């Protein structure tokens, strides 16, 4: 077989004597120069429980790569923790870190002409960052998820990190003692792993699995279980075979595969962030996929899983009853999944699912019967209207009312809104507007878990709407609408709303409106002035300059030279 290894660019011939000299210093021998050189994107970090177990996985993967005849070279990818940065200025770096991770994987693997990459990740942005980097590279690649955290326990209740966020609102409302607030803090996170509901990390790991770029059944493993390290070793073997057969990501992450990912995200009740990230991944794959495709898929896929934040169970319990493959089998059986999509294993989605026994225990209620869904349609609705001419993403799980009309309570930052919610100046019927938190305006499109959880904690989840040009966490639920585009900072109408305007959120009609005439909006626009950027240099300055609209995934390389 022709030796198609691109690493030959740095290892073969007289002119590469110095290159080989340096590689020998990191352990290469003559034989190793004849092997595929495979990057191990090691996202190990002690900065967050999501990534603290990844080093052991990277080790297992490297050993397995060697045993399978490849030569592993490990390099670091970053993470920050959404949960730890939440509610602070630092959360502005969260979405940016997706781009930094993608850039780092692309830079290292193309910089040293690697033949393939095994990327690892734990916290939210690690998955889409890896997907985007891998799509840009288009070399044989596979993803290994760090794994979910197990639930905490306190006074007979299962806890996740969202319990701690909601406890803040409960405490502010005088409904939780200081002792119990501390008890939730001490017990919410029992060890390694990514936030344990079907929040963003578990949503995006499942999306990776649905797209055929990680092993079937691997997206819901628990970080503390040896299964997470076993999966890393199996993934290494699959990758070496994929390199041998030159299975390329862009032949796997196709439009039907992205549709499969959206269908699975809907069926799981996953995070709004999946919409943003899958648009970003489509951009990186140069696949034509739009926010309206999300709405089209939503209307035909039910929510089948009773998973937190708005459901009862956590991801480790979902894994125990079969996890994502069980749901994929249900969707495939009803023509809601493209079974002919290729996966990194060389088998199609359908072939892989055929060998997965339908083993969800009959009496389990984590995964509903198809005819008894949690919701008959997907929970992530795409809204449009004069408040969101380019679209917005509504999460309509966990609420009784799908329409709310009320007076706008306008805040030009998350902090100002949080202060108002905690000092009880938001009443039932209000529609909170948080703006200038978009991709450019923040910059960084912060997740608004603190204010949405405080609203839930104050018992207003069904009575108060929240609209933002920022984002939500996967732990958010209630009548919430994010990713409003165009954002305030670029002149979007959300920047023209005034305190007391009547605002309508109507999930059934897919509408997001402010009841102000076009003429009145035009008068307001005539006197609206763009604000100076909050950051002019560094990571956030670069991001603010380059980032696209949220309705295109808030990417920083949307064809930068498109005229
Ligand atoms: C802190 C969380 C819940 O992990 C959030 O960042 C998310 O997006 O899910
Ligand atoms: Mg997050």
């Amino acid at each position: 077989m022709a030796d198609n290894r691109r690493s030959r660019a740095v290892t073969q011939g007289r002119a590469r004597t110095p290159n080989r000299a340096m590689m020998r210093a990191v352990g290469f021998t003559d034989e190793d120069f004849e092997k595929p050189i495979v990057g191990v994107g090691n996202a190990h970090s002690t900065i967050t429980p999501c990534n603290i177990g990844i080093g052991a996985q990277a080790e297992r993967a490297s050993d397995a790569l060697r045993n399978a005849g490849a030569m592993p070279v490990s390099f670091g990818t970053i993470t920050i923790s959404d949960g730890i940065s939440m509610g602070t200025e630092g959360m502005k770096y969260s979405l940016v870190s997706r781009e930094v991770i993608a850039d780092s994987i692309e830079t290292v693997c193309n910089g040293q002409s690697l033949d393939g990459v095994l990327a690892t990740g734990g916290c939210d942005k690690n998955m889409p960052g890896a997907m985007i980097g891998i799509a840009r590279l288009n070399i044989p690649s596979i993803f290994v998820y760090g794994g979910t955290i197990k639930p905490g326990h306190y006074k007979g209740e299962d806890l996740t990190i969202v319990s701690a966020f909601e406890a803040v609102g409960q405490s502010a409302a005088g409904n939780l003692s200081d002792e119990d607030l501390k008890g939730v803090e001490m017990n919410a996170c029992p060890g390694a792993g990514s936030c344990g509901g079907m929040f963003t990390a578990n949503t995006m790991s499942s999306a990776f699995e649905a797209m055929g770029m990680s092993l079937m059944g691997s997206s819901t493993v628990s970080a503390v279980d040896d299964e997470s390290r076993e999966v890393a070793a199996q993934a290494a073997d699959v990758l070496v075979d994929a390199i041998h057969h030159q299975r390329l990501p862009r032949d796997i992450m196709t439009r039907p595969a992205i549709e499969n990912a959206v269908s699975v995200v809907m069926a799981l009740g996953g995070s709004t962030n999946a919409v943003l990230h899958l648009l970003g991944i489509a951009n990186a794959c140069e696949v034509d996929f739009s926010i309206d495709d999300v709405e089209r898929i939503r209307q035909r896929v039910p929510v089948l899983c009773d998973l937190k934040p708005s459901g009862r169970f956590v991801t480790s319990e979902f894994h125990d009853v079969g996890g994502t493959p069980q749901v994929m089998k249900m969707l495939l059986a009803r023509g809601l999944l493209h079974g002919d999509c290729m996966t990194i294993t060389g088998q199609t989605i359908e072939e892989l699912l055929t060998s997965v026994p339908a083993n969800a225990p009959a009496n389990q209620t984590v995964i509903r019967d198809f005819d008894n869904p949690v919701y008959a349609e997907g929970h992530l609705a795409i809204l449009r209207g004069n408040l969101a001419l380019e679209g917005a993403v509504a999460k309509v799980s966990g609420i009784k009312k799908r329409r709310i009309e009320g007076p706008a309570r306008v805040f030009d930052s998350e902090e100002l809104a949080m202060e108002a919610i905690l000092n009880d100046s938001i009443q039932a019927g209000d529609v909170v507007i948080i703006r200038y938190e978009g991709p450019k305006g923040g910059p960084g499109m912060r997740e608004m878990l603190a204010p949405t959880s405080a609203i839930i904690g104050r018992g207003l989840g069904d009575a108060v709407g929240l609209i933002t040009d920022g984002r939500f966490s996967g732990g958010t639920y209630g009548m919430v609408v994010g990713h409003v585009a165009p954002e305030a900072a670029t002149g979007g109408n959300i920047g023209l709303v005034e305190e007391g305007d009547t605002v309508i959120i109507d999930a059934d009609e897919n509408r997001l409106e402010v009841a102000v005439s076009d003429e009145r909006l035009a008068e307001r626009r005539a006197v609206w002035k763009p604000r100076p950027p909050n950051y002019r240099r560094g990571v956030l300055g670069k991001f603010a300059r380059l980032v696209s609209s949220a309705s295109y995934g808030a990417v920083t390389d949307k064809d930068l030279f498109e005229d």
Side-chain angles (χ1 to χ4, degrees), residues 28-95:
F28 277 73
T29 63
D30 286 344
E31 297 70 42
D32 296 329
F33 292 125
E34 301 313 313
K35 298 173 182 172
I37 303 176
V38 177
V40 176
N42 186 346
H44 180 77
S45 170
T46 60
I47 206 169
T48 179
C50 321
N51 291 49
I52 200 165
I54 288 179
Q57 291 180 294
E59 283 293 311
R60 281 288 285 274
S62 294
D63 292 345
L65 285 166
R66 265 186 219 96
N67 296 339
M71 186 60 185
V73 285
S74 178
F75 62 94
T77 55
I78 69 149
T79 194
I80 68 166
S81 168
D82 279 13
I84 295 170
S85 63
M86 197 72 70
T88 74
E89 188 72 3
M91 176 21 92
K92 293 182 177 178
Y93 286 87
S94 163
L95 184 57

Side-chain angles (χ1 to χ4, degrees), residues 107 322 512:
T107 302
L512 189 66

Side-chain angles (χ1 to χ4, degrees), residues 523-538:
E523 287 164 14
R524 292 180 184 178
R525 176 171 304 291
V527 295
W528 177 82
K529 294 265 179 298
R531 294 165 175 230
N534 288 332
Y535 289 82
R536 308 183 73 88
R537 305 172 68 85

Side-chain angles (χ1 to χ4, degrees), residues 82-83 86 124 161-162 195 199-200 273 447 449 473-475:
D82 279 13
M86 197 72 70
D124 295 3
I161 188 60
V162 173
C195 298
F199 307 145
T200 302
N273 283 308
E447 292 185 355
L449 180 58
S473 135

